[in-house]
Amino acid sequence: MKFKQTDGQNQRIERITTSHLVVGIDIAKETHVAQATNFRGIVLSNRHLTFSNTIEGFEKLIRWIDGLKQKHRLQGLIIGMEPTGHYGSNLANWLADKGIYVVMVNPATTKRNKENRDNSPSKNDPKDALVIADVVSRGFYYEYSRQAAVFQRLRTMMSDREYWVTNSVRLQNRIIRWIDIRFPEYFSVFKDWTCKRSLATLKEFPFPQDIESLSVSEVITAWRAHMQRAGGSTGMQKAAQLISLAKRSVGDKTASNEANQDLHRLLQEFERIVEILDEIEQDIQKLLCEIPMADQLRSIKGLGSICTAAILSGAGDLRQYAHGRQLLRKAGLNLAESTSGKRKGQIVLSKRGDATLRKYLYLATIQLVGNNPVFRQLHENNVQIKHMKKQQSVFKLLGKLARIIISIVQKGETFSPEIAAPTLTQAA
């Protein structure tokens, strides 16, 4: 028997027969727990198996499985586990390399089925392993498959970038807090504090008292140590505004030496992270050149390299998807509804999928609405003609983007406005 997941990925699903041994493994950092059942979910092992996350532990698992298969005269084998972060990846890869059929079970499924065995909400590792095996025996699983090396490399790079972007955001918030305390009027001169002139100012004149007694020419001279075009009408205007605001600033002047050292360290770290992110993005650009379908995605005007890389790293090889709905489900962007009798529940996003992929598909749609004429027209048509709310229109276009992406990849084409929105292009 098997469970055909609606709009699931286009993957091979092996049929469980009476000759199959079903093994469920509860994954942990150091020690895993396994339980075994037959195709009906009946426990076949006298006791659960505990084994370490080492090659010795993996071989112990195989010996245990071989013993059960021989004892119960079973030929087939299917091993199920939950995708619990990175802890189970080494085991899953090792088993897959040996040709063993490995499947994944959604943690939400095991959570909802844990009371089926004993009508108890109790939770422990042996029980979790048994629940996983039971869920697999009933066919609620999807196949584990490793992506091609180039997609694994891309996923590693994007994970690395996400880490440094998170650090950058925290650091920027810390610097903004520092400016709010010491020179709150600063942002009326520099809307973007990360521009070259602003960074030069923070390095040379972090406090209002550092600049209030200077002339415009002295400020510009100090800026020239950090930027080439420090003067001009813009430079003179900015310098004059800073001096004027510094003279009547209400910023805190206490502990200025300690605060200055704090800002100096923050700015150094910020510039270091900017360099790291530039290096990562250059590497991502080079890697995208090795993926033909990346050029197809980037043919969509407004879809940048980072969004393209994020989509490919989260979804993998897009040729494995038959329809855009499958990509939406992978990202947890499929719709979920709760209705019963006369009660009609609210339709919401399921959010059961890759959160990073979901984020970047949304950001990509926002970028396209702003920069792509076709998506901008579609958005305006949704809002003005169909009277949709702006956010509702964005999510509708997100679904269209998913369908376009899968379509152009499957057909080996580039983006065409006439195909994407034939009605709008004909009207134009």
mmCIF file of all heavy atoms in Angstrom, residues 47-94:
data_model
loop_
_atom_site.group_PDB
_atom_site.id
_atom_site.type_symbol
_atom_site.label_atom_id
_atom_site.label_comp_id
_atom_site.label_asym_id
_atom_site.label_seq_id
_atom_site.Cartn_x
_atom_site.Cartn_y
_atom_site.Cartn_z
ATOM 1 N N ARG A 47 12.584 -5.953 21.643
ATOM 2 C CA ARG A 47 12.954 -4.730 22.355
ATOM 3 C C ARG A 47 13.485 -3.722 21.338
ATOM 4 O O ARG A 47 14.041 -4.090 20.312
ATOM 5 C CB ARG A 47 14.018 -5.020 23.417
ATOM 6 C CG ARG A 47 14.285 -3.871 24.378
ATOM 7 C CD ARG A 47 15.275 -4.277 25.447
ATOM 8 N NE ARG A 47 15.483 -3.204 26.413
ATOM 9 C CZ ARG A 47 16.304 -2.185 26.239
ATOM 10 N NH1 ARG A 47 17.011 -2.093 25.107
ATOM 11 N NH2 ARG A 47 16.424 -1.239 27.150
ATOM 12 N N HIS A 48 13.318 -2.476 21.638
ATOM 13 C CA HIS A 48 13.837 -1.448 20.729
ATOM 14 C C HIS A 48 15.365 -1.499 20.695
ATOM 15 O O HIS A 48 16.004 -2.005 21.626
ATOM 16 C CB HIS A 48 13.373 -0.059 21.190
ATOM 17 C CG HIS A 48 13.917 0.360 22.526
ATOM 18 N ND1 HIS A 48 13.268 0.072 23.711
ATOM 19 C CD2 HIS A 48 15.049 1.023 22.869
ATOM 20 C CE1 HIS A 48 13.972 0.544 24.719
ATOM 21 N NE2 HIS A 48 15.059 1.135 24.235
ATOM 22 N N LEU A 49 15.935 -0.955 19.642
ATOM 23 C CA LEU A 49 17.387 -0.908 19.482
ATOM 24 C C LEU A 49 17.890 0.505 19.730
ATOM 25 O O LEU A 49 17.357 1.464 19.177
ATOM 26 C CB LEU A 49 17.795 -1.347 18.072
ATOM 27 C CG LEU A 49 19.296 -1.218 17.753
ATOM 28 C CD1 LEU A 49 20.082 -2.298 18.482
ATOM 29 C CD2 LEU A 49 19.542 -1.266 16.258
ATOM 30 N N THR A 50 18.915 0.615 20.561
ATOM 31 C CA THR A 50 19.598 1.888 20.778
ATOM 32 C C THR A 50 20.976 1.804 20.139
ATOM 33 O O THR A 50 21.730 0.868 20.414
ATOM 34 C CB THR A 50 19.741 2.185 22.291
ATOM 35 O OG1 THR A 50 18.432 2.240 22.882
ATOM 36 C CG2 THR A 50 20.444 3.516 22.511
ATOM 37 N N PHE A 51 21.307 2.766 19.298
ATOM 38 C CA PHE A 51 22.617 2.734 18.641
ATOM 39 C C PHE A 51 23.169 4.152 18.504
ATOM 40 O O PHE A 51 22.422 5.126 18.417
ATOM 41 C CB PHE A 51 22.532 2.052 17.267
ATOM 42 C CG PHE A 51 21.643 2.745 16.270
ATOM 43 C CD1 PHE A 51 22.175 3.552 15.268
ATOM 44 C CD2 PHE A 51 20.259 2.577 16.309
ATOM 45 C CE1 PHE A 51 21.368 4.184 14.347
ATOM 46 C CE2 PHE A 51 19.438 3.210 15.383
ATOM 47 C CZ PHE A 51 19.988 4.008 14.402
ATOM 48 N N SER A 52 24.477 4.242 18.491
ATOM 49 C CA SER A 52 25.150 5.544 18.477
ATOM 50 C C SER A 52 25.229 6.121 17.070
ATOM 51 O O SER A 52 25.102 5.403 16.074
ATOM 52 C CB SER A 52 26.562 5.414 19.042
ATOM 53 O OG SER A 52 27.333 4.523 18.245
ATOM 54 N N ASN A 53 25.472 7.413 17.017
ATOM 55 C CA ASN A 53 25.594 8.123 15.739
ATOM 56 C C ASN A 53 27.026 8.009 15.226
ATOM 57 O O ASN A 53 27.707 9.001 14.977
ATOM 58 C CB ASN A 53 25.188 9.597 15.921
ATOM 59 C CG ASN A 53 25.035 10.315 14.600
ATOM 60 O OD1 ASN A 53 24.727 9.707 13.579
ATOM 61 N ND2 ASN A 53 25.260 11.616 14.606
ATOM 62 N N THR A 54 27.484 6.773 15.072
ATOM 63 C CA THR A 54 28.834 6.468 14.590
ATOM 64 C C THR A 54 28.746 5.323 13.600
ATOM 65 O O THR A 54 27.691 4.667 13.470
ATOM 66 C CB THR A 54 29.773 6.059 15.739
ATOM 67 O OG1 THR A 54 29.257 4.874 16.357
ATOM 68 C CG2 THR A 54 29.872 7.172 16.793
ATOM 69 N N ILE A 55 29.847 5.026 12.913
ATOM 70 C CA ILE A 55 29.842 3.924 11.961
ATOM 71 C C ILE A 55 29.575 2.600 12.662
ATOM 72 O O ILE A 55 28.888 1.725 12.131
ATOM 73 C CB ILE A 55 31.187 3.875 11.178
ATOM 74 C CG1 ILE A 55 31.124 2.814 10.085
ATOM 75 C CG2 ILE A 55 32.354 3.635 12.122
ATOM 76 C CD1 ILE A 55 30.103 3.068 9.017
ATOM 77 N N GLU A 56 30.084 2.452 13.903
ATOM 78 C CA GLU A 56 29.811 1.234 14.670
ATOM 79 C C GLU A 56 28.319 1.121 14.966
ATOM 80 O O GLU A 56 27.742 0.025 14.898
ATOM 81 C CB GLU A 56 30.615 1.224 15.960
ATOM 82 C CG GLU A 56 32.110 1.086 15.798
ATOM 83 C CD GLU A 56 32.806 2.376 15.408
ATOM 84 O OE1 GLU A 56 32.142 3.443 15.509
ATOM 85 O OE2 GLU A 56 33.977 2.333 15.002
ATOM 86 N N GLY A 57 27.691 2.250 15.306
ATOM 87 C CA GLY A 57 26.262 2.235 15.574
ATOM 88 C C GLY A 57 25.446 1.918 14.330
ATOM 89 O O GLY A 57 24.463 1.166 14.390
ATOM 90 N N PHE A 58 25.853 2.478 13.185
ATOM 91 C CA PHE A 58 25.138 2.216 11.939
ATOM 92 C C PHE A 58 25.221 0.729 11.571
ATOM 93 O O PHE A 58 24.223 0.121 11.142
ATOM 94 C CB PHE A 58 25.715 3.055 10.803
ATOM 95 C CG PHE A 58 25.565 4.553 11.007
ATOM 96 C CD1 PHE A 58 26.194 5.451 10.158
ATOM 97 C CD2 PHE A 58 24.793 5.068 12.042
ATOM 98 C CE1 PHE A 58 26.060 6.809 10.329
ATOM 99 C CE2 PHE A 58 24.654 6.439 12.234
ATOM 100 C CZ PHE A 58 25.293 7.305 11.370
ATOM 101 N N GLU A 59 26.406 0.145 11.738
ATOM 102 C CA GLU A 59 26.574 -1.280 11.433
ATOM 103 C C GLU A 59 25.780 -2.141 12.406
ATOM 104 O O GLU A 59 25.264 -3.202 12.028
ATOM 105 C CB GLU A 59 28.055 -1.635 11.468
ATOM 106 C CG GLU A 59 28.845 -1.010 10.316
ATOM 107 C CD GLU A 59 30.337 -1.194 10.451
ATOM 108 O OE1 GLU A 59 30.784 -1.591 11.562
ATOM 109 O OE2 GLU A 59 31.070 -0.943 9.466
ATOM 110 N N LYS A 60 25.669 -1.696 13.646
ATOM 111 C CA LYS A 60 24.845 -2.404 14.637
ATOM 112 C C LYS A 60 23.388 -2.412 14.187
ATOM 113 O O LYS A 60 22.684 -3.435 14.320
ATOM 114 C CB LYS A 60 24.989 -1.735 15.999
ATOM 115 C CG LYS A 60 24.151 -2.360 17.100
ATOM 116 C CD LYS A 60 24.327 -1.585 18.404
ATOM 117 C CE LYS A 60 23.456 -2.158 19.513
ATOM 118 N NZ LYS A 60 23.595 -1.374 20.789
ATOM 119 N N LEU A 61 22.918 -1.306 13.639
ATOM 120 C CA LEU A 61 21.550 -1.217 13.126
ATOM 121 C C LEU A 61 21.330 -2.223 12.004
ATOM 122 O O LEU A 61 20.303 -2.928 11.981
ATOM 123 C CB LEU A 61 21.271 0.206 12.639
ATOM 124 C CG LEU A 61 19.957 0.420 11.864
ATOM 125 C CD1 LEU A 61 18.757 0.220 12.785
ATOM 126 C CD2 LEU A 61 19.918 1.809 11.231
ATOM 127 N N ILE A 62 22.278 -2.301 11.074
ATOM 128 C CA ILE A 62 22.140 -3.221 9.938
ATOM 129 C C ILE A 62 22.093 -4.673 10.417
ATOM 130 O O ILE A 62 21.297 -5.480 9.913
ATOM 131 C CB ILE A 62 23.288 -3.013 8.934
ATOM 132 C CG1 ILE A 62 23.186 -1.621 8.300
ATOM 133 C CG2 ILE A 62 23.273 -4.083 7.856
ATOM 134 C CD1 ILE A 62 21.903 -1.381 7.534
ATOM 135 N N ARG A 63 22.950 -5.031 11.392
ATOM 136 C CA ARG A 63 22.934 -6.402 11.922
ATOM 137 C C ARG A 63 21.598 -6.704 12.574
ATOM 138 O O ARG A 63 21.054 -7.810 12.423
ATOM 139 C CB ARG A 63 24.079 -6.593 12.925
ATOM 140 C CG ARG A 63 25.471 -6.584 12.294
ATOM 141 C CD ARG A 63 26.514 -7.100 13.286
ATOM 142 N NE ARG A 63 26.607 -6.274 14.490
ATOM 143 C CZ ARG A 63 27.403 -5.219 14.614
ATOM 144 N NH1 ARG A 63 28.194 -4.856 13.604
ATOM 145 N NH2 ARG A 63 27.438 -4.539 15.736
ATOM 146 N N TRP A 64 21.065 -5.764 13.300
ATOM 147 C CA TRP A 64 19.758 -5.933 13.961
ATOM 148 C C TRP A 64 18.657 -6.126 12.922
ATOM 149 O O TRP A 64 17.794 -7.002 13.062
ATOM 150 C CB TRP A 64 19.497 -4.704 14.830
ATOM 151 C CG TRP A 64 18.210 -4.707 15.594
ATOM 152 C CD1 TRP A 64 17.906 -5.453 16.690
ATOM 153 C CD2 TRP A 64 17.064 -3.880 15.330
ATOM 154 N NE1 TRP A 64 16.639 -5.150 17.147
ATOM 155 C CE2 TRP A 64 16.096 -4.182 16.323
ATOM 156 C CE3 TRP A 64 16.763 -2.927 14.384
ATOM 157 C CZ2 TRP A 64 14.865 -3.555 16.365
ATOM 158 C CZ3 TRP A 64 15.529 -2.296 14.420
ATOM 159 C CH2 TRP A 64 14.594 -2.622 15.408
ATOM 160 N N ILE A 65 18.702 -5.320 11.871
ATOM 161 C CA ILE A 65 17.705 -5.431 10.798
ATOM 162 C C ILE A 65 17.819 -6.779 10.085
ATOM 163 O O ILE A 65 16.806 -7.445 9.826
ATOM 164 C CB ILE A 65 17.872 -4.262 9.800
ATOM 165 C CG1 ILE A 65 17.414 -2.939 10.448
ATOM 166 C CG2 ILE A 65 17.093 -4.528 8.519
ATOM 167 C CD1 ILE A 65 17.683 -1.711 9.607
ATOM 168 N N ASP A 66 19.045 -7.202 9.776
ATOM 169 C CA ASP A 66 19.241 -8.487 9.090
ATOM 170 C C ASP A 66 18.715 -9.639 9.939
ATOM 171 O O ASP A 66 18.122 -10.603 9.406
ATOM 172 C CB ASP A 66 20.731 -8.696 8.792
ATOM 173 C CG ASP A 66 21.229 -7.776 7.678
ATOM 174 O OD1 ASP A 66 20.381 -7.258 6.917
ATOM 175 O OD2 ASP A 66 22.457 -7.559 7.588
ATOM 176 N N GLY A 67 18.911 -9.545 11.258
ATOM 177 C CA GLY A 67 18.404 -10.587 12.144
ATOM 178 C C GLY A 67 16.891 -10.667 12.118
ATOM 179 O O GLY A 67 16.307 -11.769 12.085
ATOM 180 N N LEU A 68 16.221 -9.519 12.125
ATOM 181 C CA LEU A 68 14.757 -9.491 12.093
ATOM 182 C C LEU A 68 14.225 -9.986 10.753
ATOM 183 O O LEU A 68 13.226 -10.728 10.702
ATOM 184 C CB LEU A 68 14.255 -8.070 12.356
ATOM 185 C CG LEU A 68 14.412 -7.554 13.786
ATOM 186 C CD1 LEU A 68 14.018 -6.080 13.869
ATOM 187 C CD2 LEU A 68 13.544 -8.365 14.758
ATOM 188 N N LYS A 69 14.882 -9.618 9.671
ATOM 189 C CA LYS A 69 14.439 -10.072 8.344
ATOM 190 C C LYS A 69 14.569 -11.590 8.222
ATOM 191 O O LYS A 69 13.675 -12.262 7.680
ATOM 192 C CB LYS A 69 15.270 -9.378 7.256
ATOM 193 C CG LYS A 69 14.952 -7.898 7.090
ATOM 194 C CD LYS A 69 15.890 -7.224 6.101
ATOM 195 C CE LYS A 69 15.654 -7.742 4.691
ATOM 196 N NZ LYS A 69 16.501 -7.004 3.711
ATOM 197 N N GLN A 70 15.644 -12.118 8.749
ATOM 198 C CA GLN A 70 15.851 -13.574 8.686
ATOM 199 C C GLN A 70 14.860 -14.297 9.587
ATOM 200 O O GLN A 70 14.294 -15.324 9.194
ATOM 201 C CB GLN A 70 17.286 -13.902 9.096
ATOM 202 C CG GLN A 70 17.646 -15.383 8.952
ATOM 203 C CD GLN A 70 19.102 -15.645 9.275
ATOM 204 O OE1 GLN A 70 19.828 -14.741 9.679
ATOM 205 N NE2 GLN A 70 19.526 -16.892 9.109
ATOM 206 N N LYS A 71 14.640 -13.756 10.780
ATOM 207 C CA LYS A 71 13.738 -14.394 11.741
ATOM 208 C C LYS A 71 12.305 -14.443 11.218
ATOM 209 O O LYS A 71 11.601 -15.456 11.386
ATOM 210 C CB LYS A 71 13.804 -13.647 13.069
ATOM 211 C CG LYS A 71 12.876 -14.204 14.134
ATOM 212 C CD LYS A 71 12.989 -13.402 15.426
ATOM 213 C CE LYS A 71 12.026 -13.918 16.494
ATOM 214 N NZ LYS A 71 12.141 -13.116 17.755
ATOM 215 N N HIS A 72 11.872 -13.357 10.600
ATOM 216 C CA HIS A 72 10.476 -13.278 10.161
ATOM 217 C C HIS A 72 10.319 -13.517 8.657
ATOM 218 O O HIS A 72 9.228 -13.310 8.122
ATOM 219 C CB HIS A 72 9.905 -11.904 10.538
ATOM 220 C CG HIS A 72 9.855 -11.647 12.012
ATOM 221 N ND1 HIS A 72 8.871 -12.144 12.820
ATOM 222 C CD2 HIS A 72 10.718 -10.970 12.835
ATOM 223 C CE1 HIS A 72 9.088 -11.765 14.075
ATOM 224 N NE2 HIS A 72 10.200 -11.050 14.108
ATOM 225 N N ARG A 73 11.413 -13.924 8.008
ATOM 226 C CA ARG A 73 11.392 -14.282 6.586
ATOM 227 C C ARG A 73 10.841 -13.145 5.725
ATOM 228 O O ARG A 73 9.897 -13.315 4.945
ATOM 229 C CB ARG A 73 10.577 -15.558 6.378
ATOM 230 C CG ARG A 73 11.136 -16.769 7.104
ATOM 231 C CD ARG A 73 10.279 -17.993 6.889
ATOM 232 N NE ARG A 73 10.797 -19.147 7.613
ATOM 233 C CZ ARG A 73 10.233 -20.342 7.622
ATOM 234 N NH1 ARG A 73 9.113 -20.541 6.931
ATOM 235 N NH2 ARG A 73 10.771 -21.330 8.306
ATOM 236 N N LEU A 74 11.434 -11.998 5.889
ATOM 237 C CA LEU A 74 11.039 -10.816 5.124
ATOM 238 C C LEU A 74 12.156 -10.436 4.158
ATOM 239 O O LEU A 74 13.336 -10.542 4.486
ATOM 240 C CB LEU A 74 10.745 -9.649 6.074
ATOM 241 C CG LEU A 74 9.616 -9.886 7.096
ATOM 242 C CD1 LEU A 74 9.530 -8.727 8.075
ATOM 243 C CD2 LEU A 74 8.284 -10.083 6.389
ATOM 244 N N GLN A 75 11.787 -9.984 2.979
ATOM 245 C CA GLN A 75 12.788 -9.605 1.987
ATOM 246 C C GLN A 75 12.931 -8.084 1.841
ATOM 247 O O GLN A 75 14.027 -7.554 1.693
ATOM 248 C CB GLN A 75 12.425 -10.186 0.610
ATOM 249 C CG GLN A 75 12.621 -11.685 0.494
ATOM 250 C CD GLN A 75 11.475 -12.465 1.116
ATOM 251 O OE1 GLN A 75 10.317 -12.095 0.956
ATOM 252 N NE2 GLN A 75 11.798 -13.542 1.813
ATOM 253 N N GLY A 76 11.817 -7.357 1.853
ATOM 254 C CA GLY A 76 11.850 -5.912 1.644
ATOM 255 C C GLY A 76 12.193 -5.148 2.911
ATOM 256 O O GLY A 76 12.051 -5.663 4.028
ATOM 257 N N LEU A 77 12.650 -3.928 2.740
ATOM 258 C CA LEU A 77 13.003 -3.085 3.888
ATOM 259 C C LEU A 77 12.716 -1.630 3.556
ATOM 260 O O LEU A 77 13.053 -1.142 2.472
ATOM 261 C CB LEU A 77 14.494 -3.251 4.224
ATOM 262 C CG LEU A 77 15.061 -2.290 5.290
ATOM 263 C CD1 LEU A 77 14.389 -2.514 6.639
ATOM 264 C CD2 LEU A 77 16.573 -2.447 5.399
ATOM 265 N N ILE A 78 12.088 -0.950 4.489
ATOM 266 C CA ILE A 78 11.871 0.488 4.373
ATOM 267 C C ILE A 78 12.148 1.114 5.734
ATOM 268 O O ILE A 78 11.658 0.632 6.759
ATOM 269 C CB ILE A 78 10.448 0.804 3.867
ATOM 270 C CG1 ILE A 78 10.253 2.314 3.720
ATOM 271 C CG2 ILE A 78 9.386 0.203 4.766
ATOM 272 C CD1 ILE A 78 8.967 2.672 2.980
ATOM 273 N N ILE A 79 12.956 2.135 5.749
ATOM 274 C CA ILE A 79 13.354 2.796 6.999
ATOM 275 C C ILE A 79 12.823 4.222 6.993
ATOM 276 O O ILE A 79 13.059 4.980 6.045
ATOM 277 C CB ILE A 79 14.882 2.799 7.164
ATOM 278 C CG1 ILE A 79 15.400 1.370 7.280
ATOM 279 C CG2 ILE A 79 15.296 3.613 8.386
ATOM 280 C CD1 ILE A 79 16.912 1.273 7.458
ATOM 281 N N GLY A 80 12.105 4.571 8.045
ATOM 282 C CA GLY A 80 11.539 5.908 8.150
ATOM 283 C C GLY A 80 12.128 6.676 9.319
ATOM 284 O O GLY A 80 12.489 6.103 10.341
ATOM 285 N N MET A 81 12.232 7.980 9.145
ATOM 286 C CA MET A 81 12.711 8.873 10.210
ATOM 287 C C MET A 81 12.148 10.258 9.974
ATOM 288 O O MET A 81 11.616 10.556 8.899
ATOM 289 C CB MET A 81 14.245 8.898 10.239
ATOM 290 C CG MET A 81 14.898 9.345 8.942
ATOM 291 S SD MET A 81 16.710 9.244 8.982
ATOM 292 C CE MET A 81 16.947 7.463 8.879
ATOM 293 N N GLU A 82 12.244 11.098 10.980
ATOM 294 C CA GLU A 82 11.797 12.480 10.855
ATOM 295 C C GLU A 82 12.958 13.357 10.391
ATOM 296 O O GLU A 82 14.103 13.098 10.735
ATOM 297 C CB GLU A 82 11.268 13.003 12.194
ATOM 298 C CG GLU A 82 10.000 12.345 12.665
ATOM 299 C CD GLU A 82 9.569 12.858 14.028
ATOM 300 O OE1 GLU A 82 10.443 13.250 14.823
ATOM 301 O OE2 GLU A 82 8.363 12.858 14.300
ATOM 302 N N PRO A 83 12.680 14.412 9.612
ATOM 303 C CA PRO A 83 13.740 15.332 9.193
ATOM 304 C C PRO A 83 14.102 16.303 10.314
ATOM 305 O O PRO A 83 13.791 17.493 10.265
ATOM 306 C CB PRO A 83 13.099 16.053 8.000
ATOM 307 C CG PRO A 83 11.638 16.041 8.293
ATOM 308 C CD PRO A 83 11.373 14.748 9.018
ATOM 309 N N THR A 84 14.752 15.789 11.357
ATOM 310 C CA THR A 84 15.070 16.588 12.542
ATOM 311 C C THR A 84 16.400 17.307 12.360
ATOM 312 O O THR A 84 17.435 16.886 12.867
ATOM 313 C CB THR A 84 15.126 15.689 13.788
ATOM 314 O OG1 THR A 84 15.983 14.564 13.492
ATOM 315 C CG2 THR A 84 13.765 15.184 14.167
ATOM 316 N N GLY A 85 16.359 18.395 11.614
ATOM 317 C CA GLY A 85 17.567 19.187 11.425
ATOM 318 C C GLY A 85 18.670 18.403 10.742
ATOM 319 O O GLY A 85 18.447 17.623 9.818
ATOM 320 N N HIS A 86 19.894 18.585 11.228
ATOM 321 C CA HIS A 86 21.054 17.945 10.599
ATOM 322 C C HIS A 86 21.456 16.648 11.281
ATOM 323 O O HIS A 86 22.350 15.954 10.800
ATOM 324 C CB HIS A 86 22.250 18.907 10.634
ATOM 325 C CG HIS A 86 22.665 19.283 12.031
ATOM 326 N ND1 HIS A 86 22.016 20.273 12.735
ATOM 327 C CD2 HIS A 86 23.634 18.808 12.853
ATOM 328 C CE1 HIS A 86 22.577 20.390 13.929
ATOM 329 N NE2 HIS A 86 23.558 19.519 14.020
ATOM 330 N N TYR A 87 20.806 16.295 12.402
ATOM 331 C CA TYR A 87 21.260 15.134 13.174
ATOM 332 C C TYR A 87 21.126 13.815 12.419
ATOM 333 O O TYR A 87 21.943 12.916 12.579
ATOM 334 C CB TYR A 87 20.498 15.043 14.498
ATOM 335 C CG TYR A 87 20.772 16.180 15.450
ATOM 336 C CD1 TYR A 87 19.747 16.771 16.177
ATOM 337 C CD2 TYR A 87 22.062 16.666 15.626
ATOM 338 C CE1 TYR A 87 19.999 17.817 17.044
ATOM 339 C CE2 TYR A 87 22.318 17.715 16.494
ATOM 340 C CZ TYR A 87 21.284 18.288 17.199
ATOM 341 O OH TYR A 87 21.540 19.325 18.063
ATOM 342 N N GLY A 88 20.090 13.679 11.594
ATOM 343 C CA GLY A 88 19.863 12.409 10.930
ATOM 344 C C GLY A 88 20.422 12.324 9.524
ATOM 345 O O GLY A 88 20.315 11.270 8.880
ATOM 346 N N SER A 89 21.039 13.409 9.028
ATOM 347 C CA SER A 89 21.483 13.421 7.634
ATOM 348 C C SER A 89 22.588 12.398 7.371
ATOM 349 O O SER A 89 22.592 11.736 6.326
ATOM 350 C CB SER A 89 21.958 14.822 7.244
ATOM 351 O OG SER A 89 23.035 15.234 8.074
ATOM 352 N N ASN A 90 23.523 12.252 8.308
ATOM 353 C CA ASN A 90 24.618 11.293 8.092
ATOM 354 C C ASN A 90 24.101 9.862 8.013
ATOM 355 O O ASN A 90 24.533 9.073 7.164
ATOM 356 C CB ASN A 90 25.658 11.410 9.211
ATOM 357 C CG ASN A 90 26.422 12.721 9.147
ATOM 358 O OD1 ASN A 90 26.557 13.305 8.081
ATOM 359 N ND2 ASN A 90 26.909 13.188 10.282
ATOM 360 N N LEU A 91 23.160 9.526 8.898
ATOM 361 C CA LEU A 91 22.581 8.186 8.872
ATOM 362 C C LEU A 91 21.790 7.951 7.599
ATOM 363 O O LEU A 91 21.926 6.905 6.955
ATOM 364 C CB LEU A 91 21.689 7.974 10.099
ATOM 365 C CG LEU A 91 20.900 6.662 10.150
ATOM 366 C CD1 LEU A 91 21.837 5.462 10.122
ATOM 367 C CD2 LEU A 91 19.989 6.619 11.384
ATOM 368 N N ALA A 92 20.962 8.927 7.223
ATOM 369 C CA ALA A 92 20.145 8.780 6.012
ATOM 370 C C ALA A 92 21.028 8.620 4.774
ATOM 371 O O ALA A 92 20.751 7.777 3.908
ATOM 372 C CB ALA A 92 19.219 9.985 5.866
ATOM 373 N N ASN A 93 22.095 9.415 4.698
ATOM 374 C CA ASN A 93 22.999 9.318 3.543
ATOM 375 C C ASN A 93 23.718 7.964 3.513
ATOM 376 O O ASN A 93 23.894 7.368 2.447
ATOM 377 C CB ASN A 93 24.033 10.450 3.582
ATOM 378 C CG ASN A 93 23.397 11.804 3.338
ATOM 379 O OD1 ASN A 93 22.332 11.896 2.732
ATOM 380 N ND2 ASN A 93 24.041 12.859 3.799
ATOM 381 N N TRP A 94 24.132 7.494 4.680
ATOM 382 C CA TRP A 94 24.844 6.211 4.765
ATOM 383 C C TRP A 94 23.938 5.067 4.331
ATOM 384 O O TRP A 94 24.360 4.174 3.588
ATOM 385 C CB TRP A 94 25.335 6.012 6.197
ATOM 386 C CG TRP A 94 26.234 4.827 6.395
ATOM 387 C CD1 TRP A 94 27.578 4.758 6.159
ATOM 388 C CD2 TRP A 94 25.850 3.529 6.876
ATOM 389 N NE1 TRP A 94 28.058 3.511 6.458
ATOM 390 C CE2 TRP A 94 27.023 2.732 6.902
ATOM 391 C CE3 TRP A 94 24.657 2.964 7.282
ATOM 392 C CZ2 TRP A 94 27.020 1.408 7.330
ATOM 393 C CZ3 TRP A 94 24.639 1.645 7.701
ATOM 394 C CH2 TRP A 94 25.805 0.877 7.728
#
